[in-house]
Amino acid sequence: MNNTLLKVENVTKKFAGLVALNKVNMEISKGQILGLIGPNGAGKTTLFNVITGFYEPEEGKVYFRDEEITGKPPHKIAKLGIGRTFQVVKPFLGLTVEEAVRVGAYNHALNEVEVEEIISETLNFLGLSKLRKRLCKDLNLVEMKLTTLAQALAAKPELLLLDELAAGLTPTEIDNLIALLRKVNEEKKITLCLVEHVMHFIMGISDYIVVLHYGEKIAEGKPEEVASNEKVIEAYLGRR
């Protein structure tokens, strides 16, 4: 039985002659938590943008549940079951938490009753119920990130791409986020792909890690394999 949920095949993306992604291959299995790491400018967010339809690659293909989705518009890809958060956290600052989550719920729900059920269930799950009526612009960093996550979860994705969700958090907040995302993965049965610079976070949560450097995949494997890989140490983790 094929357990591959997402397959990226030989994807190349260029911007005015600059090669942002060069023949990148990657697979994400159902139920997996995959970490995607690399220095700034390695192509991580560009890869997310190709997967979710914001960019069309010059070469290569993207498959989700064995269906080719290369170049489909973002709203259609979201409907198929791929959700994401963005690097810059802006969950509709003028809206309340409840209203921001409502935007996500409309991607999945068939009627207003279902929308309300999804909002309540998502806020309860993430411990945000007490912030329901709070304006997003009045939230602290952790609350803002959780609201962004709630918005993505409300769309009921099968695969969720998280772009630097741990950035700016304290070690304790990161540990709490790891526990919460494990809960999302195990209880909601959502496959996760995480772009992250915080090594404590990525090593603490990932089943498998893919490393990009200058748009090319230079390594992949379990966290302990990647952490001891000479190419990765040279390119990213730095020599002590």
Side-chain angles (χ1 to χ4, degrees):
M1 189 176 115
N2 184 11
N3 201 36
T4 303
L5 185 61
L6 184 94
K7 187 175 185 182
V8 172
E9 203 172 74
N10 282 317
V11 161
T12 296
K13 179 67 194 163
K14 298 174 185 172
F15 297 102
L18 174 76
V19 181
L21 295 170
N22 187 22
K23 299 192 184 308
V24 172
N25 292 286
M26 182 175 82
E27 287 190 16
I28 304 175
S29 302
K30 283 174 193 164
Q32 192 174 43
I33 300 179
L34 184 135
L36 183 61
I37 67 170
N40 283 326
K44 305 178 299 295
T45 298
T46 301
L47 183 55
F48 270 15
N49 284 332
V50 168
I51 291 167
T52 52
F54 287 89
Y55 296 157
E56 192 163 351
E58 274 73 26
E59 290 173 40
K61 292 182 164 62
V62 181
Y63 298 91
F64 180 61
R65 292 191 310 236
D66 294 330
E67 177 188 343
E68 191 187 341
I69 60 167
T70 325
K72 280 187 187 285
H75 69 277
K76 289 196 173 167
I77 289 173
K79 282 274 183 207
L80 288 171
I82 300 180
R84 73 173 291 184
T85 64
F86 292 84
Q87 212 169 341
V88 180
V89 179
K90 286 184 183 169
F92 303 101
L93 297 178
L95 300 182
T96 63
V97 169
E98 178 181 11
E99 288 165 342
V101 178
R102 180 180 295 276
V103 173
Y106 278 129
N107 183 66
H108 180 83
L110 300 171
N111 54 57
E112 284 300 319
V113 174
E114 201 178 339
V115 166
E116 290 302 328
E117 284 173 358
I118 289 171
I119 292 168
S120 294
E121 189 258 332
T122 305
L123 293 177
N124 284 337
F125 185 83
L126 295 177
L128 292 172
S129 295
K130 63 186 183 299
L131 300 176
R132 207 177 168 118
K133 302 296 182 188
R134 182 88 59 87
L135 283 171
C136 290
K137 68 181 177 63
D138 296 330
L139 302 175
N140 65 33
L141 183 63
V142 175
E143 291 165 349
M144 185 88 86
K145 284 176 182 280
L146 290 181
T147 299
T148 304
L149 179 60
Q151 197 174 47
L153 287 179
K156 301 287 182 184
E158 192 175 344
L159 170 64
L160 185 51
L161 312 179
L162 301 172
D163 201 345
E164 295 198 31
L165 201 62
L169 300 184
T170 67
T172 301
E173 289 163 351
I174 286 170
D175 287 339
N176 292 339
L177 183 61
I178 288 172
L180 187 58
L181 290 177
R182 282 224 177 94
K183 192 175 154 196
V184 167
N185 176 249
E186 289 162 16
E187 293 183 20
K188 298 270 186 199
K189 306 289 185 233
I190 297 174
T191 302
L192 301 176
C193 181
L194 316 162
V195 158
E196 201 50 71
H197 282 293
V198 182
M199 284 298 108
H200 166 59
F201 175 75
I202 211 81
M203 293 294 171
I205 194 170
S206 305
D207 304 316
Y208 197 79
I209 293 175
V210 169
V211 189
L212 295 181
H213 190 45
Y214 292 121
E216 296 189 358
K217 183 171 77 175
I218 61 165
E220 63 181 310
K222 292 183 175 170
E224 58 275 15
E225 294 167 347
V226 166
S228 60
N229 183 300
E230 283 297 314
K231 275 189 182 174
V232 178
I233 293 166
E234 200 74 60
Y236 187 44
L237 298 175
R239 298 199 164 279
R240 288 183 180 262

PDB file of all heavy atoms in Angstrom, residues 83-105:
ATOM      1  N   GLY A  83      -3.064  22.604   3.986  1.00  0.00           N
ATOM      2  CA  GLY A  83      -3.141  23.881   4.678  1.00  0.00           C
ATOM      3  C   GLY A  83      -1.750  24.408   4.948  1.00  0.00           C
ATOM      4  O   GLY A  83      -0.768  23.672   4.852  1.00  0.00           O
ATOM      5  N   ARG A  84      -1.654  25.680   5.289  1.00  0.00           N
ATOM      6  CA  ARG A  84      -0.332  26.238   5.616  1.00  0.00           C
ATOM      7  C   ARG A  84      -0.461  27.458   6.516  1.00  0.00           C
ATOM      8  O   ARG A  84      -1.524  28.087   6.598  1.00  0.00           O
ATOM      9  CB  ARG A  84       0.424  26.628   4.337  1.00  0.00           C
ATOM     10  CG  ARG A  84      -0.109  27.878   3.666  1.00  0.00           C
ATOM     11  CD  ARG A  84       0.760  28.317   2.503  1.00  0.00           C
ATOM     12  NE  ARG A  84       2.064  28.822   2.933  1.00  0.00           N
ATOM     13  CZ  ARG A  84       2.966  29.336   2.088  1.00  0.00           C
ATOM     14  NH1 ARG A  84       2.724  29.386   0.800  1.00  0.00           N
ATOM     15  NH2 ARG A  84       4.106  29.791   2.535  1.00  0.00           N
ATOM     16  N   THR A  85       0.635  27.765   7.188  1.00  0.00           N
ATOM     17  CA  THR A  85       0.775  29.058   7.866  1.00  0.00           C
ATOM     18  C   THR A  85       1.906  29.796   7.163  1.00  0.00           C
ATOM     19  O   THR A  85       2.683  29.195   6.417  1.00  0.00           O
ATOM     20  CB  THR A  85       1.118  28.899   9.362  1.00  0.00           C
ATOM     21  OG1 THR A  85       2.411  28.281   9.475  1.00  0.00           O
ATOM     22  CG2 THR A  85       0.081  28.063  10.083  1.00  0.00           C
ATOM     23  N   PHE A  86       1.990  31.097   7.401  1.00  0.00           N
ATOM     24  CA  PHE A  86       2.996  31.911   6.727  1.00  0.00           C
ATOM     25  C   PHE A  86       4.047  32.415   7.707  1.00  0.00           C
ATOM     26  O   PHE A  86       3.799  32.545   8.899  1.00  0.00           O
ATOM     27  CB  PHE A  86       2.326  33.089   6.003  1.00  0.00           C
ATOM     28  CG  PHE A  86       1.484  32.664   4.838  1.00  0.00           C
ATOM     29  CD1 PHE A  86       0.173  32.240   5.023  1.00  0.00           C
ATOM     30  CD2 PHE A  86       2.002  32.660   3.546  1.00  0.00           C
ATOM     31  CE1 PHE A  86      -0.607  31.830   3.954  1.00  0.00           C
ATOM     32  CE2 PHE A  86       1.233  32.248   2.470  1.00  0.00           C
ATOM     33  CZ  PHE A  86      -0.075  31.830   2.664  1.00  0.00           C
ATOM     34  N   GLN A  87       5.225  32.718   7.155  1.00  0.00           N
ATOM     35  CA  GLN A  87       6.364  33.155   7.962  1.00  0.00           C
ATOM     36  C   GLN A  87       6.034  34.419   8.755  1.00  0.00           C
ATOM     37  O   GLN A  87       6.347  34.517   9.924  1.00  0.00           O
ATOM     38  CB  GLN A  87       7.520  33.456   6.997  1.00  0.00           C
ATOM     39  CG  GLN A  87       8.872  33.178   7.564  1.00  0.00           C
ATOM     40  CD  GLN A  87       9.932  33.242   6.467  1.00  0.00           C
ATOM     41  OE1 GLN A  87       9.638  33.143   5.291  1.00  0.00           O
ATOM     42  NE2 GLN A  87      11.159  33.414   6.861  1.00  0.00           N
ATOM     43  N   VAL A  88       5.407  35.393   8.096  1.00  0.00           N
ATOM     44  CA  VAL A  88       5.001  36.624   8.770  1.00  0.00           C
ATOM     45  C   VAL A  88       3.590  36.402   9.300  1.00  0.00           C
ATOM     46  O   VAL A  88       2.660  36.185   8.542  1.00  0.00           O
ATOM     47  CB  VAL A  88       5.035  37.829   7.802  1.00  0.00           C
ATOM     48  CG1 VAL A  88       4.598  39.095   8.527  1.00  0.00           C
ATOM     49  CG2 VAL A  88       6.431  38.007   7.223  1.00  0.00           C
ATOM     50  N   VAL A  89       3.465  36.422  10.634  1.00  0.00           N
ATOM     51  CA  VAL A  89       2.178  36.099  11.267  1.00  0.00           C
ATOM     52  C   VAL A  89       1.257  37.315  11.219  1.00  0.00           C
ATOM     53  O   VAL A  89       1.476  38.298  11.908  1.00  0.00           O
ATOM     54  CB  VAL A  89       2.398  35.652  12.730  1.00  0.00           C
ATOM     55  CG1 VAL A  89       1.071  35.348  13.404  1.00  0.00           C
ATOM     56  CG2 VAL A  89       3.302  34.437  12.785  1.00  0.00           C
ATOM     57  N   LYS A  90       0.226  37.225  10.381  1.00  0.00           N
ATOM     58  CA  LYS A  90      -0.745  38.319  10.279  1.00  0.00           C
ATOM     59  C   LYS A  90      -2.153  37.745  10.177  1.00  0.00           C
ATOM     60  O   LYS A  90      -2.753  37.792   9.116  1.00  0.00           O
ATOM     61  CB  LYS A  90      -0.454  39.169   9.038  1.00  0.00           C
ATOM     62  CG  LYS A  90       0.742  40.070   9.157  1.00  0.00           C
ATOM     63  CD  LYS A  90       0.848  40.926   7.905  1.00  0.00           C
ATOM     64  CE  LYS A  90       2.087  41.800   7.963  1.00  0.00           C
ATOM     65  NZ  LYS A  90       2.366  42.448   6.682  1.00  0.00           N
ATOM     66  N   PRO A  91      -2.680  37.167  11.237  1.00  0.00           N
ATOM     67  CA  PRO A  91      -4.010  36.556  11.128  1.00  0.00           C
ATOM     68  C   PRO A  91      -5.128  37.607  11.199  1.00  0.00           C
ATOM     69  O   PRO A  91      -5.894  37.647  12.148  1.00  0.00           O
ATOM     70  CB  PRO A  91      -4.049  35.605  12.323  1.00  0.00           C
ATOM     71  CG  PRO A  91      -3.191  36.276  13.343  1.00  0.00           C
ATOM     72  CD  PRO A  91      -2.146  37.064  12.595  1.00  0.00           C
ATOM     73  N   PHE A  92      -5.165  38.493  10.204  1.00  0.00           N
ATOM     74  CA  PHE A  92      -6.241  39.478  10.107  1.00  0.00           C
ATOM     75  C   PHE A  92      -6.349  40.305  11.403  1.00  0.00           C
ATOM     76  O   PHE A  92      -7.231  40.101  12.213  1.00  0.00           O
ATOM     77  CB  PHE A  92      -7.569  38.788   9.792  1.00  0.00           C
ATOM     78  CG  PHE A  92      -7.507  37.969   8.529  1.00  0.00           C
ATOM     79  CD1 PHE A  92      -7.359  36.596   8.588  1.00  0.00           C
ATOM     80  CD2 PHE A  92      -7.579  38.588   7.291  1.00  0.00           C
ATOM     81  CE1 PHE A  92      -7.279  35.845   7.422  1.00  0.00           C
ATOM     82  CE2 PHE A  92      -7.504  37.837   6.124  1.00  0.00           C
ATOM     83  CZ  PHE A  92      -7.354  36.471   6.176  1.00  0.00           C
ATOM     84  N   LEU A  93      -5.431  41.238  11.540  1.00  0.00           N
ATOM     85  CA  LEU A  93      -5.270  41.971  12.802  1.00  0.00           C
ATOM     86  C   LEU A  93      -6.528  42.700  13.263  1.00  0.00           C
ATOM     87  O   LEU A  93      -6.738  42.889  14.447  1.00  0.00           O
ATOM     88  CB  LEU A  93      -4.096  42.951  12.679  1.00  0.00           C
ATOM     89  CG  LEU A  93      -2.729  42.294  12.445  1.00  0.00           C
ATOM     90  CD1 LEU A  93      -1.647  43.353  12.291  1.00  0.00           C
ATOM     91  CD2 LEU A  93      -2.365  41.348  13.581  1.00  0.00           C
ATOM     92  N   GLY A  94      -7.381  43.119  12.333  1.00  0.00           N
ATOM     93  CA  GLY A  94      -8.592  43.841  12.702  1.00  0.00           C
ATOM     94  C   GLY A  94      -9.745  42.941  13.106  1.00  0.00           C
ATOM     95  O   GLY A  94     -10.792  43.424  13.553  1.00  0.00           O
ATOM     96  N   LEU A  95      -9.569  41.625  12.957  1.00  0.00           N
ATOM     97  CA  LEU A  95     -10.619  40.670  13.296  1.00  0.00           C
ATOM     98  C   LEU A  95     -10.438  40.143  14.716  1.00  0.00           C
ATOM     99  O   LEU A  95      -9.354  40.229  15.285  1.00  0.00           O
ATOM    100  CB  LEU A  95     -10.594  39.477  12.341  1.00  0.00           C
ATOM    101  CG  LEU A  95     -10.787  39.733  10.838  1.00  0.00           C
ATOM    102  CD1 LEU A  95     -10.779  38.405  10.094  1.00  0.00           C
ATOM    103  CD2 LEU A  95     -12.079  40.478  10.559  1.00  0.00           C
ATOM    104  N   THR A  96     -11.506  39.594  15.277  1.00  0.00           N
ATOM    105  CA  THR A  96     -11.370  38.864  16.536  1.00  0.00           C
ATOM    106  C   THR A  96     -10.789  37.483  16.224  1.00  0.00           C
ATOM    107  O   THR A  96     -10.772  37.051  15.057  1.00  0.00           O
ATOM    108  CB  THR A  96     -12.733  38.684  17.224  1.00  0.00           C
ATOM    109  OG1 THR A  96     -13.565  37.881  16.379  1.00  0.00           O
ATOM    110  CG2 THR A  96     -13.394  40.008  17.518  1.00  0.00           C
ATOM    111  N   VAL A  97     -10.345  36.789  17.259  1.00  0.00           N
ATOM    112  CA  VAL A  97      -9.820  35.430  17.104  1.00  0.00           C
ATOM    113  C   VAL A  97     -10.869  34.534  16.438  1.00  0.00           C
ATOM    114  O   VAL A  97     -10.584  33.791  15.501  1.00  0.00           O
ATOM    115  CB  VAL A  97      -9.394  34.860  18.486  1.00  0.00           C
ATOM    116  CG1 VAL A  97      -9.099  33.360  18.396  1.00  0.00           C
ATOM    117  CG2 VAL A  97      -8.166  35.612  19.007  1.00  0.00           C
ATOM    118  N   GLU A  98     -12.088  34.664  16.916  1.00  0.00           N
ATOM    119  CA  GLU A  98     -13.198  33.865  16.378  1.00  0.00           C
ATOM    120  C   GLU A  98     -13.402  34.126  14.885  1.00  0.00           C
ATOM    121  O   GLU A  98     -13.578  33.202  14.094  1.00  0.00           O
ATOM    122  CB  GLU A  98     -14.470  34.220  17.149  1.00  0.00           C
ATOM    123  CG  GLU A  98     -15.714  33.505  16.680  1.00  0.00           C
ATOM    124  CD  GLU A  98     -16.939  33.931  17.500  1.00  0.00           C
ATOM    125  OE1 GLU A  98     -16.861  34.904  18.276  1.00  0.00           O
ATOM    126  OE2 GLU A  98     -17.963  33.279  17.348  1.00  0.00           O
ATOM    127  N   GLU A  99     -13.348  35.399  14.489  1.00  0.00           N
ATOM    128  CA  GLU A  99     -13.547  35.760  13.081  1.00  0.00           C
ATOM    129  C   GLU A  99     -12.411  35.251  12.207  1.00  0.00           C
ATOM    130  O   GLU A  99     -12.626  34.795  11.072  1.00  0.00           O
ATOM    131  CB  GLU A  99     -13.677  37.282  12.948  1.00  0.00           C
ATOM    132  CG  GLU A  99     -14.986  37.837  13.486  1.00  0.00           C
ATOM    133  CD  GLU A  99     -14.971  39.343  13.684  1.00  0.00           C
ATOM    134  OE1 GLU A  99     -13.866  39.940  13.737  1.00  0.00           O
ATOM    135  OE2 GLU A  99     -16.059  39.917  13.805  1.00  0.00           O
ATOM    136  N   ALA A 100     -11.184  35.306  12.736  1.00  0.00           N
ATOM    137  CA  ALA A 100     -10.026  34.809  11.981  1.00  0.00           C
ATOM    138  C   ALA A 100     -10.150  33.302  11.720  1.00  0.00           C
ATOM    139  O   ALA A 100      -9.863  32.827  10.622  1.00  0.00           O
ATOM    140  CB  ALA A 100      -8.742  35.116  12.743  1.00  0.00           C
ATOM    141  N   VAL A 101     -10.595  32.571  12.737  1.00  0.00           N
ATOM    142  CA  VAL A 101     -10.757  31.121  12.600  1.00  0.00           C
ATOM    143  C   VAL A 101     -11.926  30.802  11.658  1.00  0.00           C
ATOM    144  O   VAL A 101     -11.887  29.830  10.904  1.00  0.00           O
ATOM    145  CB  VAL A 101     -10.944  30.455  13.980  1.00  0.00           C
ATOM    146  CG1 VAL A 101     -11.166  28.954  13.840  1.00  0.00           C
ATOM    147  CG2 VAL A 101      -9.705  30.706  14.853  1.00  0.00           C
ATOM    148  N   ARG A 102     -12.930  31.653  11.665  1.00  0.00           N
ATOM    149  CA  ARG A 102     -14.083  31.484  10.763  1.00  0.00           C
ATOM    150  C   ARG A 102     -13.629  31.460   9.294  1.00  0.00           C
ATOM    151  O   ARG A 102     -14.148  30.694   8.486  1.00  0.00           O
ATOM    152  CB  ARG A 102     -15.074  32.635  10.981  1.00  0.00           C
ATOM    153  CG  ARG A 102     -16.330  32.578  10.112  1.00  0.00           C
ATOM    154  CD  ARG A 102     -17.230  33.763  10.418  1.00  0.00           C
ATOM    155  NE  ARG A 102     -17.741  33.704  11.774  1.00  0.00           N
ATOM    156  CZ  ARG A 102     -18.822  33.000  12.139  1.00  0.00           C
ATOM    157  NH1 ARG A 102     -19.499  32.320  11.243  1.00  0.00           N
ATOM    158  NH2 ARG A 102     -19.204  32.981  13.391  1.00  0.00           N
ATOM    159  N   VAL A 103     -12.658  32.317   8.960  1.00  0.00           N
ATOM    160  CA  VAL A 103     -12.133  32.372   7.594  1.00  0.00           C
ATOM    161  C   VAL A 103     -11.627  30.986   7.167  1.00  0.00           C
ATOM    162  O   VAL A 103     -11.901  30.520   6.057  1.00  0.00           O
ATOM    163  CB  VAL A 103     -10.991  33.418   7.479  1.00  0.00           C
ATOM    164  CG1 VAL A 103     -10.320  33.356   6.109  1.00  0.00           C
ATOM    165  CG2 VAL A 103     -11.523  34.818   7.738  1.00  0.00           C
ATOM    166  N   GLY A 104     -10.899  30.306   8.073  1.00  0.00           N
ATOM    167  CA  GLY A 104     -10.409  28.961   7.775  1.00  0.00           C
ATOM    168  C   GLY A 104     -11.536  27.949   7.652  1.00  0.00           C
ATOM    169  O   GLY A 104     -11.538  27.101   6.755  1.00  0.00           O
ATOM    170  N   ALA A 105     -12.527  28.073   8.527  1.00  0.00           N
ATOM    171  CA  ALA A 105     -13.633  27.101   8.555  1.00  0.00           C
ATOM    172  C   ALA A 105     -14.434  27.097   7.264  1.00  0.00           C
ATOM    173  O   ALA A 105     -14.950  26.067   6.830  1.00  0.00           O
ATOM    174  CB  ALA A 105     -14.548  27.397   9.741  1.00  0.00           C
TER     175      ALA A 105
END
